Amino acid sequence: MDNITDLYLVREILLENGPVGLGFSLQGGASSGAPITVASVEQNGIAYKSNHVFVDDVLLAVNGHDVRFSTLDEVELLLQSSDQYVTLQLGTLKEKDEDVQTLEVCLAKERGSLGLSITGGADMGSPIAVSAIVRNSPAGRCNDIHRGDVILAANGINMTSKTQEDLVEILQESGNQVTLLIKPKKRAKVQKQLLILLYTTVGHYLTIRTNCLLSRISP
């Protein structure tokens, strides 16, 4: 794929096919004039549990086949013809520094937890990002944190060159209140044409501050 890394941050993942499919849907495609992107990820499905598939990821290749100029039907055939494992090449559009907007979020721990999981890290060649959020947790009740958001800093400490273990240590050693600087995952506007994969066998930041310190809700 020529010059693909000029446009995208690219990663390749391997998923094992399950009896109910890979657990995500796609939209776009050559017939709609838009790139094929992930439209939704089924909670607790194979893609969700991998912590590497997020809404708005661009699908670049399936099992080594370039699908940048393919239709959803063509991608469907590729996935149906896959064996036990499926290799996906996914991309995240690169952003210019001046286009990046960040959000500062304050959370209060409950039972020592914020209620979120993370993926990525400097040792994995990708930024630390939110991979899952627990319902009715501090993070779950904060409408400003979403799966796929990148964590740039924690309590004023830059996380861009840190590992997951570094962030976990910082959070464990912090007090009850934690301040995270996040970069919300960009949600591309594309024409929606969904393909549900349930039958498959196989620089400069503009910062907004928000406070999500919420009291525990009694049952």
Side-chain angles (χ1 to χ4, degrees), residues 4-151:
I4 193 67
T5 55
D6 292 340
L7 296 174
Y8 301 101
L9 295 172
V10 180
R11 63 189 183 281
E12 189 170 280
I13 65 169
L14 182 67
L15 298 177
E16 184 174 5
N17 287 320
V20 294
L22 299 176
F24 66 90
S25 63
L26 299 172
Q27 62 188 4
S31 58
S32 68
I36 295 177
T37 60
V38 177
S40 65
V41 180
E42 181 184 349
Q43 190 167 0
N44 295 323
I46 292 174
Y48 182 93
K49 291 178 179 179
S50 76
N51 285 335
H52 290 293
V53 181
F54 301 100
V55 172
D56 291 333
D57 281 344
V58 179
L59 183 62
L60 303 172
V62 175
N63 295 331
H65 297 280
D66 187 349
V67 298
R68 288 177 296 166
F69 308 104
S70 300
T71 64
L72 287 180
D73 289 339
E74 290 169 338
V75 171
E76 175 188 356
L77 290 175
L78 283 174
L79 292 169
Q80 286 180 328
S81 63
S82 298
D83 295 323
Q84 182 179 358
Y85 294 95
V86 178
T87 301
L88 302 178
Q89 188 177 74
L90 300 170
T92 303
L93 278 172
K94 290 184 176 180
E95 297 174 319
K96 297 179 180 179
D97 287 343
E98 58 267 26
D99 295 332
V100 176
Q101 185 179 77
T102 64
L103 199 65
E104 191 175 77
V105 179
C106 298
L107 298 171
K109 295 179 182 178
E110 289 183 1
R111 298 185 179 90
S113 174
L114 297 177
L116 57 81
S117 301
I118 56 174
T119 186
D123 55 336
M124 300 175 65
S126 61
I128 298 176
V130 178
S131 60
I133 297 176
V134 179
R135 289 185 179 181
N136 200 32
S137 67
R141 294 194 297 271
C142 179
N143 293 326
D144 295 308
I145 300 180
H146 301 88
R147 192 165 177 260
D149 289 348
V150 173
I151 299 176

